[in-house]
Amino acid sequence: MSKNAILVGGAGTGKTSRLLDALAKMLDRGIDPYEVGFISFTNAATQNALTRACAKFGFSREALEQGGWFRTIHSFAFRLIGAKSSQVLTDETVKDREWFSQTMGFAPRESEEPLDRSPQELTLAAWDVCRQRLEPWPVTLTRMSATESLPGLEHARDIIDQYEQAKRLENRLDFTDLLGRFAGVAFRHADAGHGDTEPPGWLPGLESLIIDEAQDNSALMDRCLRRLADDSRYAVIAGDPFQS
């Protein structure tokens, strides 16, 4: 169990600078920079922290980027469960867009407007929210149907079950599956919701863990972070609840 410190502050109040000050104190105590994890919600935020840390402490950016732990929680999970790039399913590559088209009967579109998206897209987006929040599928469907044109319960359940079965048959994972596996949460199908399972992979045994932008973490991300924090000696958590 780690010793925790919590830092709460609004935008522009210097949270990242305070976190780097905390990192400096860790290094002054002789902690190896490769035994410190820095996690933020986005790649941009972790890269910014990495840049500032390298400039302030004279680290090799390439070495710390490859061997260190300045990463998003998805990157942590990917590395620690031993996932392969070919397993990870996105809608950003031609190959994966073809998978969606052939397997699910639709090609993902770039538009974020609900009216421009198919029932399959809307359902899978809602299923992702359900898994991130670790809540029952009917609860998510009812809440999101108030603002988006989601299909009915039976149709939506069929779409989700088709998606989950296709991933299992081809050993594919989406980004939420990465977190679920690392957190020890299994997502089987809509009716089953989620259940606890033995988490695979390994833990880096970090001396210190720094968590930035914590206000944006979902319930599933929180479970991942707690697993990492329980394996670390110290954890510093920063966030701004007004930006949640």
Side-chain angles (χ1 to χ4, degrees):
M1 179 66 69
S2 63
K3 296 180 180 179
N4 301 324
I6 298 174
L7 173 64
V8 178
T13 55
K15 292 190 298 298
T16 301
S17 295
R18 288 289 299 274
L19 292 178
L20 290 176
D21 290 342
L23 174 59
K25 292 178 181 179
M26 295 172 191
L27 299 177
D28 288 342
R29 293 200 300 268
I31 297 176
D32 191 299
Y34 293 93
E35 293 183 345
V36 176
F38 189 104
I39 302 176
S40 194
F41 186 69
T42 64
N43 280 316
T46 55
Q47 290 298 307
N48 176 52
L50 178 65
T51 298
R52 294 174 65 174
C54 289
K56 184 170 184 176
F57 305 114
F59 300 152
S60 163
R61 181 185 180 90
E62 182 178 1
L64 195 59
E65 196 167 32
Q66 294 297 318
W69 297 98
F70 281 66
R71 299 171 178 269
T72 64
I73 188 59
H74 293 87
S75 179
F76 261 86
F78 177 88
R79 185 175 181 182
L80 293 175
I81 69 172
K84 299 178 181 179
S85 298
S86 58
Q87 285 181 278
V88 181
L89 185 65
T90 75
D91 60 0
E92 299 175 355
T93 67
V94 172
K95 183 178 180 180
D96 287 344
R97 290 171 72 86
E98 289 178 349
W99 185 92
F100 277 102
S101 180
Q102 295 169 4
T103 305
M104 299 301 301
F106 76 96
R109 283 170 281 188
E110 296 180 359
S111 173
E112 294 297 325
E113 294 296 326
L115 292 177
D116 293 336
R117 293 190 287 174
S118 67
Q120 292 98 324
E121 287 178 281
L122 291 171
T123 299
L124 294 184
W127 177 234
D128 190 64
V129 171
C130 173
R131 292 181 293 159
Q132 286 285 349
R133 293 172 68 103
L134 298 178
E135 65 182 6
W137 168 241
V139 173
T140 305
L141 181 63
T142 300
R143 185 183 65 253
M144 296 187 67
S145 292
T147 57
E148 298 187 8
S149 300
L150 288 163
L153 183 62
E154 293 295 329
H155 187 192
R157 181 189 293 119
D158 290 343
I159 293 170
I160 292 168
D161 291 348
Q162 179 185 357
Y163 178 62
E164 291 298 326
Q165 182 180 23
K167 286 189 299 177
R168 285 195 296 272
L169 288 174
E170 299 184 32
N171 193 27
R172 302 299 298 270
L173 303 169
D174 60 27
F175 287 121
T176 302
D177 293 324
L178 292 175
L179 300 183
R181 287 202 179 184
F182 180 71
V185 180
F187 305 106
R188 298 176 180 87
H189 51 82
D191 286 337
H194 65 275
D196 294 335
T197 185
E198 186 66 26
W202 55 287
L203 292 170
L206 297 173
E207 185 74 10
S208 299
L209 188 66
I210 299 173
I211 303 168
D212 196 11
E213 306 291 351
Q215 76 277 354
D216 289 324
N217 291 326
S218 66
L220 180 58
M221 292 178 185
D222 185 68
R223 282 190 55 152
C224 294
L225 293 169
R226 287 176 184 273
R227 186 182 179 200
L228 288 170
D230 284 346
D231 191 54
S232 304
R233 288 189 62 188
Y234 305 100
V236 182
I237 306 162
D240 175 8
F242 294 104
Q243 293 190 71
S244 176

